Structure formats: structure tokens, C-alpha cells
Amino acid sequence: MNAEVELKLGDINVQSINDSYFEKLKIGVDVLRLDKIHPVVSGNKWFKLKYYLQQAHVKNYSGIATFGGAFSNHIIATAYTCYKLKINCAGFIRGEEPKIYSPTLLDAKALNMQLHFVSREQYRNKQFIIESNPSMFFIPEGGYGMTGAKGAAEIVNLVPVFSKYQYIVCAVGTGTMIAGIANASHTHQKCIGISVMKNNFSLKDELSALVNDAARQRIFLRDEFHFGGYAKYTDELIDFINSVWNKHQFPLDFVYTAKAFYALYQLASKNYFEPSSKILFIHSGGLQGNRSLKNKIHFE
Ligand SMILES: *Cc1c(COP(=O)(O)O)cnc(C)c1O
């Protein structure tokens, strides 16, 4: 297997949000546009995959396998990366095979990922699936783990002056991205993670396992911005996405970044951030997932 991945990284940049709302509150908000990294392998997923691919290479497996749902950003990122590297790959997809494939599954299939549909019950027993496929190198669902966090720590290197921010705000699924960022952060910084899941009681422990003691003190999780749960949304969230696009020409995905950016506004309105502080919002990508919303969102 060839692990020399050279994804041409697109024009990731840091965009300042000029909004009178933030000016009045005397805070500055910049956005790291990881969504621009690549149209398919958008956002944080590439960083989380990177060192897993290296491990698979070193250990000489016959292919890569991983887990995810029918709209998973991780599935599509894995499929694309393996396609580019000419690595066999398999995706174990949660739930029965649908009659009509989601756009994500169609793309993954077109990229030669072998799709295996597993019942929700079987899906919970991942260890059984892993043991049944000993020649495959399994990447945990969502890229969760120390290896994923090691890659995610490199996200901060893309920010020209990372140390000027007092707060880093990002969406949290498995917690791997924020763990990496927190490990790479400075003592004067706080990492605010917006959990996109409802009742994810194990998140704190799972996240804790990925960070050093100092970084743990700098992570602050918020769990009240899930809009009903993972991949759930309300009209208010859709309106928010469209209004952010109209005001700032920056596109949000409804599963992760919209909830996190909405949370940033809400927290700001409650004076959560110290006056005159600078906040870095991580746009972690995921825009492909908006295809499941059909015509509700308009980025044009
Ligand atoms: C996967 C994903 C996240 C969550 O990352 P974790 O490391 O699982 O916390 C956040 N934003 C987007 C767009 C994602 O695709």
C-alpha cells in the first residue's frame, strides 16, 4: 500500500467575519475555512485519516475498512482517499441496504468502496465485524482515537497566527478533532466544543482519553445546541444557514458547523466571551451532507 497521499490542499484560509453584532460585543471572529480543503474530502476528515493510513501502510494490510451511516462525511472521505491511493476499501454501513442510495453512498460506491450493509444490532458489535475481516485495517468510526487526534492537531498549523486567539470554537462529534486542537493549543486558550449529539453521555470520557492533562483543562463542552439530536434540524437552523450565507458568503452544513456557529452567536449574546477577545471558529467542512436536505438551502 502506498501511503504517500498528496491531496492537493485547496485554498484554506482564515476569513474574518465582519458583523456589527460581534463589533458591538467587542469580539473578533475569524473562520478557518477547512471546508475549502477539497470538494470531497472536506474539512477535518483528511487530518483524522492521515496517520491511520500510515499505520495501515506500515502493517501491510490488504485494504482499509471503516464504519459509518448513509450520509457520513467520514465514509466519503475514506472512499475518496483510498481511491486516490489505489487502496482497497470497504465501508460497513449502519442499517439495511436502502432501495435508493443516498448521494453519499452513490459517491462512495463510484469510488470503488465496497459497501456492506449491517443491521443496527450487528453494527453495535463492531468488534465482531473487525475480527471477521482480519486482512483489513479498520479505522474506527469517525476516525476516533489517538491516531485521529494526532492528525487533527495539525489543523492549527494552517492558522497563520494561531496564538492570537483566546477561544477556539468547533463542532464535536466523536471529539477527536477538538482533542487534537486542544493538545496543540496554548495555555491562554480555551477550546469550546459544541456537541451535535443529544445525550451523548460517554463523550466526556471518550474525549478525555485523547488529551493530555493540561489540554483537558482547556476544553469546555456545550451540549445544548444539538437541535433535537444528530442530523436533526429545525426551520430556525435552516434559516440561520441561509442568512449566514447571505451575509457572509460562507456555507454551513446542517449536521455540524451550523449548530456550532449558531452556538457561537448564542454564547456571544450571553457575554460568554471576554470583551476584546479573538475567537477562531473552525469550519470543519461536511457540506456534502447538505445534499440530504434537497432544496432547503441556497448557496448561490
Ligand atoms: C466529523 C465532523 C465533525 C466532528 O469531528 P469529531 O472529530 O468526530 O468530533 C465536525 N464537523 C464536521 C463537518 C465533520 O464532518
Side-chain angles (χ1 to χ4, degrees):
M1 250 191 259
N2 172 12
E4 295 303 311
V5 194
E6 273 316 320
L7 282 179
K8 255 187 90 190
L9 301 187
D11 51 348
I12 300 164
N13 63 1
V14 174
Q15 175 181 351
S16 293
I17 301 295
N18 296 315
D19 194 321
S20 54
Y21 182 77
F22 294 140
E23 266 163 41
K24 269 190 224 124
L25 294 164
K26 299 196 169 43
I27 55 175
V29 178
D30 290 350
V31 178
L32 175 65
R33 295 289 305 269
L34 288 184
D35 57 307
K36 290 185 166 188
I37 179 173
H38 191 273
V40 184
V41 190
S42 149
N44 68 13
K45 295 298 181 281
W46 161 245
F47 294 90
K48 293 199 282 180
L49 283 173
K50 194 173 163 183
Y51 290 105
Y52 284 112
L53 293 167
Q54 256 183 30
Q55 284 182 355
H57 176 55
V58 172
K59 294 181 186 163
N60 251 321
Y61 284 86
S62 69
I64 301 260
T66 194
F67 302 96
F71 294 95
S72 163
N73 296 327
H74 170 67
I75 285 289
I76 193 68
T78 306
Y80 182 85
T81 310
C82 290
Y83 175 81
K84 276 295 192 195
L85 294 172
K86 303 189 170 60
I87 299 173
N88 280 326
C89 85
F92 289 83
I93 310 297
R94 184 181 58 238
E96 305 301 327
E97 180 172 12
K99 285 213 179 65
I100 301 171
Y101 277 26
S102 66
T104 312
L105 292 179
L106 287 173
D107 287 352
K109 198 175 166 206
L111 293 165
N112 297 338
M113 178 180 255
Q114 293 165 38
L115 300 177
H116 302 284
F117 294 90
V118 292
S119 70
R120 277 159 203 275
E121 200 185 320
Q122 285 173 309
Y123 193 84
R124 259 177 252 128
N125 192 356
K126 296 195 180 59
Q127 201 50 39
F128 179 77
I129 297 174
I130 294 169
E131 281 161 18
S132 308
N133 295 275
S135 70
M136 303 294 273
F137 178 86
F138 273 84
I139 297 177
E141 183 175 28
Y144 173 79
M146 296 289 270
T147 307
K150 181 181 170 197
E154 295 178 5
I155 288 172
V156 310
N157 300 341
L158 304 169
V159 184
V161 193
F162 179 62
S163 60
K164 77 175 177 189
Y165 299 98
Q166 285 81 41
Y167 300 92
I168 296 94
V169 178
C170 67
V172 169
T174 64
T176 308
M177 170 173 64
I178 197 170
I181 291 173
N183 282 335
S185 67
H186 301 279
T187 49
H188 67 276
Q189 296 178 316
K190 291 192 166 99
C191 303
I192 320 299
I194 312 303
S195 174
V196 301
M197 282 172 220
K198 189 175 167 179
N199 299 339
N200 186 3
F201 301 119
S202 54
L203 174 63
K204 227 175 158 185
D205 288 343
E206 283 157 6
L207 177 49
S208 259
L210 306 180
V211 287
N212 62 49
D213 288 342
R216 195 169 298 124
Q217 311 295 319
R218 300 198 283 274
I219 296 180
F220 300 85
L221 291 176
R222 306 292 303 208
D223 61 8
E224 73 270 49
F225 299 106
H226 54 69
F227 285 82
Y230 184 71
K232 299 273 197 301
Y233 60 91
T234 61
D235 290 345
E236 188 189 2
L237 188 69
I238 302 296
D239 290 346
F240 177 73
I241 294 172
N242 285 318
S243 83
V244 168
W245 171 259
N246 292 332
K247 260 196 262 170
H248 304 297
Q249 273 68 58
F250 107 83
L252 293 163
D253 84 292
F254 79 102
V255 181
Y256 293 100
T257 53
K259 293 177 183 180
F261 202 55
Y262 181 93
L264 194 161
Y265 273 83
Q266 290 295 313
L267 292 171
S269 75
K270 295 184 180 127
N271 300 313
Y272 180 85
F273 304 107
E274 295 278 335
S276 55
S277 55
K278 289 204 179 333
I279 301 162
L280 180 70
F281 179 79
I282 312 287
H283 189 320
S284 41
L287 295 169
Q288 67 93 23
N290 281 354
R291 294 182 294 184
S292 71
L293 291 177
K294 309 254 164 39
N295 298 318
K296 291 197 179 69
I297 287 173
H298 303 282
F299 297 146
E300 60 215 18

